[in-house]
Structure formats: structure tokens, C-alpha cells
Amino acid sequence: MRVHDTLTGSLVELPPVPGPIGMYVCGPTVYHRAHIGNARPFVVFSWLRNWLRETGYEVTFVHNVTDVNDRIYEAAPGRSAELAERATRWYFEDTGDLGLGMPDEMPLATQSMPEIVGLIEELVEFGHAYPVEGDVYFRVARFAAYGRLSGQRPDQVEEQEPNALKEDPRDFALWKATKPGEDTSWDSPWGRGRPGWHIECSAMAEKALGAEFEIHGGGLDLVFPHHENEIAQSQAVGRPFARIWMHNGMLELGGDEMHKSLGNDVSLRNVLDTWGREATLVFFLAGHWHGPIDFSDDVMTGATARAEGFREVFRGQSEPASSGAWERFAAALDDDFNTPAALAVIHEWRDHDLLRRALGIFGLDSLSYIDEAPEEVVALAARRQVARADRDFDEADRVRAAIEAAGWEVRDEAEGFRLVRLR
RNA sequence: GGCGCCGUGGCCGAGAGGUUAGGCAGAGGCCUGCAAAGCCUCGUACAGCGGUUCGAGUCCGCUCGGCGCCUCCA
């Protein structure tokens, strides 16, 4: 299998089965309820984990939560801990409702302080970082490979707000002295404070996966500075860190109207409540993980119809797939995890077992569950059969309307009828 | 100003030098008491302009457009 790697800008081959493959995927900074875009990395990398396991890899999927950060302090002055805890719970709930299971580990920054402080100490010790008035900054100039991931040249990076404490405007904070109004802080050799934005990931990734691991993932917006800085922090003190960098594309919202309402309308919670988890997953499946995707009502309507199309296959007779069917499906996924191409392959399938297995990788085996109509609806359908036999079609149509009012569609078949739940 | 992702038919979306992607929507047909489902048929599209080539969505250059990042966003 090969995947697109940001570092080299090309497709790189994964090690042979069974790996092992350590996969660290940046999770949310918890200061609000996740929106549908935040769900993309969770979905993409959960699926990737499933597929890698399906093909025989030993995978450890680590997905962190950054629960201490400037944004959280700003969003809830004096009560950041409370907000972080609540938003973390939301994230667990909302991503949990996607039905893709949990990552193997979901470390919290606030519970990784010894590792964070230890890593900073090491950076200071080797001259890659310097403490100033309770802050500690990373010395960018000392790390020669800085900018390799993002293609940023240090001298071209936009001028920063002047910060008298920094030796160089490009330096970034590893540790920040606690400020008035901040309700959380931890002890450190530099005094009470809390970690800067990037260091927590370097520390948590190493704690969970070791100094070297296979895949680091996250949104494309994290390439710079977040991931660039993670590499600098870890490699400056000799950790090889991640071999492959996978960045999922951004989710875009069509029309300006949606832009304005960026908020509850497009919260993952709301999307799940409005469209259901299956359509939401099909929506993500229909776009290549690496490219941008547009979120809109039209697209979700299409995804709903597509999900229903699969359900329809399971209502029919299973027919054996042609030889090589699974191989074609696997080939699509093995080539940069091309889910739209894989989706096209399985659309041709009428083989229930094979289709269920393929959909299962994406958490969509539920599409194979056929709903059974309640007794009273079955009774109505039976009554309609009698009316039809008597050629009383007015009555038959009336009963059908009643069945539809109850949320079911009746289909006449060669012998008898079939009831299909309306969605 | 710099760095990066992307631009395919009504819509979504694969493909990366030469033979049908696929889905959704739509039209016609078969079937049906009427339907639904299913099946059959129907769309020559690759932002624009140059160039390379026997041949270009596919390679090169430029332009236009969307999106992301530039040290508090997945």
C-alpha cells in the first residue's frame, strides 16, 4: 500500500505487513463543539486503521485531545478547565456516534505534563530552547531542517508581532508562564505555567508510540506551524519521529450564506441529527481524503440516496461477485486510500457477504440490516392484498396511503408484498 | 509577499499520454390495476490561453478562480 506523504510530496510505500504501524492523528483543541470539518480526520484515519488491519497490519491509532491552549483560556476566562472538560466530552460523544469505534488511545495534554516538561528540559539542556522570564522558547535558527515539511523558508516567513522575549521572531513558545486570569497551571523548572501549543503532541506521540513511528496525520491546516514545530522539537533532541505525514484536505462550505452561519448548523452533532450517521459517512467516503470536499444540502441529499441504494441491494437477492471483485476494491484502497474509486467498485456488487464486509470497513455494515415492519403495518398490507384480490383498487390505494402515513412503503411482488421503511 | 491543496458533464466525483469510471438527478422504454423497486437505452465533460507530441483532462509554461497556512484552527 502507498499513500500521499506531505514531506516528500509524493506517494510512499508502507512497510510490509504486519508492520507494526503507529499512527498519531492530531485531535481537537477543545473549546467548542466539533463541526463537521473537525470530523474529517477522525473519520479518515479511523477508516485507514480499519483497512490496515483488514490487510493484516498491526496498527496503533493514537488521537489526542489538546485541552490546554490559549483558545480555551480566551473562550472561557477563568473557567477554561470546565470548558475543556465539557468540550472533550462532546467530542467523545459526537465522534462516538459516528459508529467507527474509538482510537486505541486518546491522550489528554493535561495528563501528559511530566512528558511535556521532560521534553522541554531536554531541549533546553541541548541548547535548542531557552527560558526567559518563566517562558521557554524553541530556537528555530538552531534546527537546520526547519521548514522541510511545509516548504516554508525561514527567511520568508511573515514578520511576527514583535516579542521582546524572543531571540528571533520565528521562535515559538514551548512553555508559557501563567498569566492573571488563567485558571490552570502546572509546576515546572521555570515556574508555574502551561505548555505552548505544539509541544504536547511531540510528547504524547512519543509516550504512546515511541521515538519513531510510521504515520502522523491531521488536517492540512496543521502543516505549518503545528507539524513543522513538532518535527523540530522532536528531531532536535534525536527522535526520528514520524516517517510519513498524511494531511487530509479541508471541508468547504458552499455559498456565502453557510459561511455566515458557521456554527451550530454545521456542528457534527447537528449534521448527525439531521442526516444520520450513514449519510454522513457516505459523504466523506465520496471524496478523496487528500482533496477538499464541499459540504452542502445537495451533496448530503446525494449521499443519503447513495446509502439508500446500498440498502436496496440487501433487499434483493445476493449474487456472487465476479472473480477479482475484492481485489479491485483492495487495489483502489491500496493506492493512496482512494475511497471514491473503491466506492465505485462496490456499487456494482450484488454479493451480500462481500458488500457487507466492504461496507464494514467504513462502519456502514448497518446498511445491510433490513428493518422489519411492525405488526399493525403488516396487517394493513395484508388487508390491501385482500382488496387487490377483490379488484377494489380504491380501497387498496387508501390502505397504501395509511401504510405510508405510518412510515412504510408497500411494494407488490410476484407473491405477496414487501414493506420498506421510508427514510 | 511566501508556502501548499485543488479546478472534470445538471450536481458529486475517480482517472494522470491512446480503448466505458461510478454515483445522484433527469428523459424514454420494459414491468405494474396504479405504483415502487429492478432492468434496458440516452450525456463525448475535463477553468482559459499557449506549447511539447503522431496523439493531452493526463506533460510543460502562463493566466483566471476556490480553499488552507504563515507560530493561539482538523
Side-chain angles (χ1 to χ4, degrees):
Chain A
M1 174 166 193
R2 50 186 203 159
V3 294
H4 182 88
D5 167 40
T6 308
L7 199 56
T8 56
S10 59
L11 296 171
V12 299
E13 203 65 37
L14 258 46
V17 171
I21 294 197
M23 187 162 82
Y24 183 91
V25 178
C26 281
T29 296
V30 279
Y31 63 102
H32 63 37
R33 195 141 198 164
H35 59 75
I36 180 71
N38 293 313
R40 176 117 101 138
F42 182 91
V43 169
V44 165
F45 291 100
S46 292
W47 284 342
L48 181 60
R49 168 205 55 200
N50 293 350
W51 177 242
L52 291 173
R53 285 199 181 136
E54 170 74 30
T55 56
Y57 282 104
E58 286 163 20
V59 187
T60 307
F61 176 26
V62 180
H63 192 231
N64 73 288
V65 171
T66 295
D67 59 346
V68 51
N69 182 290
D70 287 332
R71 292 216 161 190
I72 308 172
Y73 289 122
E74 275 167 29
R79 293 166 43 188
S80 75
E82 201 180 305
L83 172 63
E85 202 205 318
R86 185 163 15 113
T88 300
R89 214 163 44 233
W90 283 336
Y91 189 73
F92 287 165
E93 279 169 23
D94 296 347
T95 56
D97 286 349
L98 286 162
L100 297 174
M102 288 271 282
D104 300 297
E105 282 185 55
M106 295 192 79
L108 306 184
T110 54
Q111 285 169 17
S112 312
M113 283 303 155
E115 291 77 17
I116 290 170
V117 171
L119 186 55
I120 299 172
E121 279 187 287
E122 216 175 322
L123 283 159
V124 171
E125 185 184 339
F126 286 93
H128 285 103
Y130 53 95
V132 191
E133 296 181 22
D135 290 356
V136 180
Y137 294 95
F138 184 87
R139 192 171 269 139
V140 169
R142 265 211 56 181
F143 186 68
Y146 195 80
R148 219 177 116 221
L149 178 72
S150 60
Q152 295 283 346
R153 309 238 331 278
D155 53 304
Q156 310 237 85
V157 169
E158 204 172 45
E159 280 298 308
Q160 298 309 305
E161 289 286 308
N163 179 335
L165 300 178
K166 292 184 185 179
E167 289 177 2
D168 181 323
R170 295 167 297 145
D171 292 349
F172 55 91
L174 298 170
W175 190 261
K176 297 185 180 188
T178 194
K179 294 184 191 63
E182 293 179 357
D183 58 312
T184 51
S185 63
W186 290 263
D187 278 322
S188 82
W190 319 284
R192 294 290 289 180
R194 40 91 180 193
W197 177 30
H198 321 291
I199 192 71
E200 83 283 12
C201 281
S202 283
M204 287 188 280
E206 181 176 351
K207 184 183 180 186
L209 297 170
E212 182 171 19
F213 54 96
E214 202 55 33
I215 296 172
H216 192 127
L220 204 47
D221 55 341
L222 294 182
V223 174
F224 191 87
H226 189 55
H227 289 335
E228 193 71 70
N229 290 356
E230 283 185 46
I231 291 174
Q233 294 156 352
S234 291
Q235 292 188 347
V237 283
R239 276 69 158 180
F241 213 52
R243 193 173 76 89
I244 300 173
W245 290 82
M246 292 177 70
H247 294 283
N248 62 269
M250 296 290 99
L251 182 137
E252 297 175 11
L253 301 169
D256 313 34
E257 299 127 58
M258 288 209 71
H259 257 114
K260 285 176 199 149
S261 59
L262 224 172
N264 290 335
D265 288 19
V266 292
S267 71
L268 174 56
R269 178 75 269 146
N270 191 249
V271 171
L272 286 171
D273 289 345
T274 306
W275 298 97
R277 56 173 286 278
E278 288 158 339
T280 303
L281 291 175
V282 171
F283 158 70
F284 282 120
L285 206 52
H288 189 113
W289 68 276
H290 192 237
I293 43 172
D294 258 301
F295 179 83
S296 67
D297 283 2
D298 279 358
V299 167
M300 289 307 292
T301 302
T304 303
R306 242 177 147 154
E308 196 56 30
F310 281 120
R311 218 176 247 117
E312 197 60 46
V313 172
F314 290 104
R315 291 187 190 113
Q317 282 295 307
S318 181
E319 294 165 31
S322 58
S323 71
W326 185 265
E327 286 70 21
R328 280 184 292 124
F329 171 71
L333 294 178
D334 283 341
D335 185 13
D336 201 18
F337 205 56
N338 192 334
T339 57
L343 195 56
V345 171
I346 66 175
H347 262 298
E348 297 164 11
W349 295 358
R350 297 291 100 102
D351 185 320
H352 287 8
D353 291 338
L354 207 62
L355 185 58
R356 188 182 297 110
R357 184 177 156 208
L359 290 171
I361 289 158
F362 309 115
L364 287 168
D365 45 317
S366 57
L367 292 172
S368 70
Y369 309 157
I370 303 303
D371 296 304
E372 211 147 309
E375 266 177 56
E376 58 272 24
V377 174
V378 176
L380 281 172
R383 211 172 93 201
R384 182 168 165 281
Q385 285 301 95
V386 173
R388 289 183 69 224
D390 294 343
R391 306 197 62 78
D392 183 355
F393 297 121
D394 287 344
E395 169 66 4
D397 290 346
R398 272 194 298 277
V399 178
R400 173 160 52 206
I403 291 169
E404 276 169 18
W408 292 78
E409 171 191 294
V410 62
R411 296 179 186 170
D412 297 326
E413 297 196 322
E415 58 238 51
F417 54 85
R418 179 191 292 270
L419 286 161
V420 174
R421 208 175 127 196
L422 294 168
R423 291 182 184 260

